[in-house]
Amino acid sequence: NNKEKEQIPSIKDKENNKFDRYDRYDRNDRYDRYNKDKKNESNEKNTKLSKNDKVAKETKPEEKAKTEEKQDHGIQAPAQALRLVQHKDLPQGEKGEATRELIARGVLSGVSDTEFKGKLAINRAMLAQVLMTISKDKSVGFVDYLDIKGDEWYADAMTWALTHGIYKGYTDKTVKAAQNITRQEFASVIYNFIKEHNINMPKIKNFNYKDQDQIASWALDAVKHLDELGLVNGENRDNYNAQGTYSREDLALTIYKIIKFIESK
């Protein structure tokens, strides 16, 4: 009997140990599964956060602003009218529309409140002034030319154009700001301008003129490229007239085409 009594606790302990082992196994298994579920939940949460972070990065205000700034190519020309256009001598057609728009936006000015004089030839200084006006970057560097002393009305514009490589001075250390600009010179300047601003317009026509052999070799590539873009066309369908002058209304049309292209993007 005593032996039986002694065995009973032992068996009971074994039974308790058995259930305790099962209970521990069950608890451990549940614990492991709980940890696994929590880990999966954490991983899923981290993945979501990672995706959210990516979306947040993609839509950062500063990056969006940077993209928008890149798209305008550093060109500024108010879309709304800033001035009342009262000029009575504006041409008909697309040149008239371009001239009216640029006067209203403050890019161009007439010779008076009622006259624009669109047929007048433009000089180097006027072109530099207009290009600087529509450019956001108006920074200038130091230039050393005999005919820029600093107090001329065109000093800043010509200095700006030379600084940015849009203009080149002459070998006699002058810029000849008051000199009328020829068609091939105009094409060369506009070519430098759109290249500086990374403006890539599509080709819309083929270059073919009877007098294209009269175009200077240094200007030929620019002339051809700008004509194919429809920015600086020949004087008429047959002749380019490289040495001919460029008028105020022609200037308006070229500048307006550039602005409209950028605004349409």
Side-chain angles (χ1 to χ4, degrees):
N1 287 339
N2 289 337
K3 193 174 181 181
E4 254 179 48
K5 286 180 183 177
E6 289 174 1
Q7 286 179 345
I8 290 172
S10 175
I11 294 170
K12 189 175 181 181
D13 286 344
K14 284 182 180 179
E15 292 296 318
N16 286 340
N17 287 339
K18 178 179 75 174
F19 289 116
D20 187 49
R21 286 199 306 275
Y22 290 154
D23 189 45
R24 280 203 308 271
Y25 176 81
D26 185 54
R27 284 200 305 268
N28 289 339
D29 183 54
R30 279 183 283 128
Y31 181 77
D32 289 342
R33 278 188 280 114
Y34 173 80
N35 281 344
K36 188 175 181 181
D37 290 342
K38 291 298 287 181
K39 187 176 181 181
N40 289 338
E41 183 182 343
S42 177
N43 287 339
E44 186 179 352
K45 187 176 180 182
N46 288 336
T47 302
K48 287 181 180 178
L49 285 174
S50 179
K51 288 180 179 177
N52 289 338
D53 288 344
K54 187 177 179 181
V55 172
K57 282 183 180 180
E58 289 174 352
T59 56
K60 277 185 179 179
E62 62 268 25
E63 289 183 4
K64 186 177 179 183
K66 193 173 182 180
T67 302
E68 289 174 353
E69 183 180 352
K70 186 178 179 181
Q71 289 176 344
D72 67 21
H73 296 276
I75 300 295
Q76 61 177 11
Q80 73 278 13
L82 300 177
R83 300 177 184 172
L84 180 64
V85 181
Q86 296 178 307
H87 304 81
K88 299 176 181 178
D89 62 342
L90 299 186
Q92 297 297 316
E94 58 179 2
K95 288 183 180 179
E97 178 191 356
T99 304
R100 181 177 295 277
E101 279 288 331
L102 294 189
I103 292 173
R105 297 186 187 204
V107 176
L108 292 178
S109 299
V111 297
S112 70
D113 291 337
T114 57
E115 288 186 304
F116 181 72
K117 298 284 186 182
K119 298 296 183 185
L120 289 179
I122 62 169
N123 58 31
R124 288 166 59 80
M126 180 181 178
L127 177 55
Q129 184 64 55
V130 171
L131 295 180
M132 182 178 178
T133 298
I134 66 171
S135 296
K136 286 185 174 181
D137 183 359
K138 292 177 169 52
S139 61
V140 297
F142 174 77
V143 296
D144 183 20
Y145 289 94
L146 299 175
D147 50 353
I148 298 182
K149 297 180 174 61
D151 55 354
E152 304 88 354
W153 70 267
Y154 56 77
D156 285 346
M158 290 300 292
T159 302
W160 171 84
L162 291 161
T163 299
H164 291 270
I166 295 167
Y167 270 26
K168 292 180 181 178
Y170 291 90
T171 55
D172 62 356
K173 297 292 290 182
T174 64
V175 295
K176 296 180 174 41
Q179 179 175 286
N180 286 346
I181 197 163
T182 66
R183 189 175 295 276
Q184 65 182 6
E185 288 172 340
F186 183 86
S188 182
V189 170
I190 297 300
Y191 178 82
N192 292 337
F193 179 79
I194 64 173
K195 186 177 179 182
E196 168 78 8
H197 290 271
N198 295 313
I199 300 170
N200 298 305
M201 299 174 69
K203 176 181 174 180
I204 63 171
K205 57 180 289 195
N206 292 320
F207 180 76
N208 186 24
Y209 294 96
K210 292 179 180 178
D211 64 344
Q212 62 191 51
D213 60 334
Q214 301 298 314
I215 300 169
S217 58
W218 56 265
L220 185 58
D221 287 345
V223 166
K224 182 180 178 182
H225 185 65
L226 271 290
D227 183 77
E228 290 174 341
L229 301 184
L231 280 181
V232 185
N233 297 320
E235 190 172 59
N236 54 54
R237 183 177 295 180
D238 295 325
N239 296 303
Y240 189 83
N241 191 13
Q243 295 297 330
T245 56
Y246 212 70
S247 71
R248 287 163 59 84
E249 61 189 36
D250 288 333
L251 166 66
L253 183 57
T254 297
I255 299 302
Y256 190 53
K257 284 180 178 179
I258 294 172
I259 290 171
K260 288 298 288 180
F261 171 75
I262 292 171
E263 290 179 344
S264 69
K265 294 180 66 178

